[in-house]
Amino acid sequence: GAGVSQSPSNKVTEKGKDVELRCDPISGHTALYWYRQSLGQGLEFLIYFQGNSAPDKSGLPSDRFSAERTGGSVSTLTIQRTQQEDSAVYLCASSSGKGTATNYGYTFGSGTRLTVV
Amino acid sequence: AQKVTQAQTEISVVEKEDVTLDCVYETRDTTYYLFWYKQPPSGELVFLIRRNSFDEQNEISGRYSWNFQKSTSSFNFTITASQVVDSAVYFCALSLGSGYSTLTFGKGTMLLVSP
């Protein structure tokens, strides 16, 4: 597609439930990133996929968080047994890794606003 | 490890004022990239600029200008003659030399431009 698509745009879930957040990157972008934006905080890196390489999971805050990327395209971020502190906006970005003079190729989606009640 | 500091949490100005958003970064790497993003109320991050560590030339794009100074590890952003539509949260970010490196963001500066 023309941009990075994330779904759902909003998700309200009960504490303890599992949630899945989806990211559809720009076609042909080999790199995909997940970030989390909590209230009053900057954007926190979660996980990064690059082609067929093993993902960089160094930013995942706990083992309740996992992500996969199927066929080098769509990615799903799963949060198990959600907690109230998981409430945040989850942003996905994709990149071609090719820079130009005006754009480094990172394109962000509109995010999924997750609220855990 | 990399770090980006945006000391100004919130700035309020009146339309037509000039405003500078500060960004200070830390990295041991010699090859890196600096970015500014705008996040309007709609929530989507809008790319504004990327600079590499070897290019300290200042940049101007319309009402926007950026001042990169390696000596002070700063990459400040100035909006000239601010407008209400400039109201947003602005993020400074850094990535290392790889074309696929992750971004390290500052905590953002909320800019409110009043009519």
Side-chain angles (χ1 to χ4, degrees):
Chain A
V4 177
S5 178
Q6 291 188 246
S7 61
S9 54
N10 279 285
K11 175 73 176 178
V12 179
T13 189
E14 291 181 355
K15 178 181 173 182
K17 301 277 190 184
D18 298 352
V19 295
E20 286 188 350
L21 313 180
R22 176 188 168 106
C23 173
D24 227 317
I26 290 175
S27 178
H29 278 192
T30 58
L32 186 148
Y33 313 77
W34 283 97
Y35 290 85
R36 177 170 71 174
Q37 185 175 18
S38 304
L39 188 64
Q41 301 295 314
L43 281 86
E44 172 191 15
F45 164 71
L46 297 177
I47 188 169
Y48 153 53
F49 297 89
Q50 167 49 32
N52 295 321
S53 303
D56 176 356
K57 304 179 182 179
S58 60
L60 294 178
S62 78
D63 58 9
R64 296 186 296 104
F65 288 72
S66 63
E68 63 176 20
R69 189 178 184 191
T70 53
S73 181
V74 172
S75 177
T76 302
L77 176 69
T78 300
I79 309 173
Q80 295 178 311
R81 304 181 303 282
T82 52
Q83 304 294 312
Q84 287 185 329
E85 60 263 28
D86 299 334
S87 296
V89 175
Y90 290 82
L91 288 161
C92 175
S94 70
S95 170
S96 64
K98 296 172 185 173
T100 68
T102 57
N103 193 331
Y104 197 52
Y106 292 98
T107 303
F108 282 83
S110 298
T112 293
R113 181 175 297 278
L114 175 66
T115 304
V116 182
V117 297
Chain B
Q2 297 71 242
K3 184 178 179 181
V4 176
T5 301
Q6 295 179 254
Q8 303 149 309
T9 305
E10 189 173 323
I11 301 176
S12 293
V13 299
V14 177
E15 214 170 14
K16 298 183 183 176
E17 284 185 24
D18 299 348
V19 58
T20 296
L21 309 181
D22 297 333
C23 173
V24 174
Y25 63 92
E26 295 175 31
T27 179
R28 292 178 181 267
D29 284 58
T30 56
T31 302
Y32 52 89
Y33 296 87
L34 295 164
F35 301 75
W36 276 95
Y37 284 88
K38 174 181 180 179
Q39 188 177 44
S42 61
E44 194 160 340
L45 277 169
V46 178
F47 169 86
L48 295 178
I49 190 171
R50 176 200 73 153
R51 302 297 287 176
N52 74 54
S53 54
F54 300 108
D55 181 3
E56 286 192 73
Q57 191 171 13
N58 291 332
E59 176 132 354
I60 298 174
S61 176
R63 295 184 298 106
Y64 296 169
S65 62
W66 291 269
N67 181 266
F68 177 26
Q69 292 195 338
K70 288 178 77 169
S71 60
T72 55
S73 297
S74 64
F75 186 45
N76 296 338
F77 173 31
T78 298
I79 302 175
T80 302
S82 59
Q83 300 176 2
V84 173
V85 293
D86 296 328
S87 296
V89 180
Y90 291 86
F91 290 97
C92 181
L94 176 148
S95 74
L96 298 183
S98 161
Y100 297 103
S101 181
T102 59
L103 291 166
T104 299
F105 285 88
K107 294 194 173 183
T109 296
M110 179 178 290
L111 174 65
L112 178 60
V113 182
S114 305

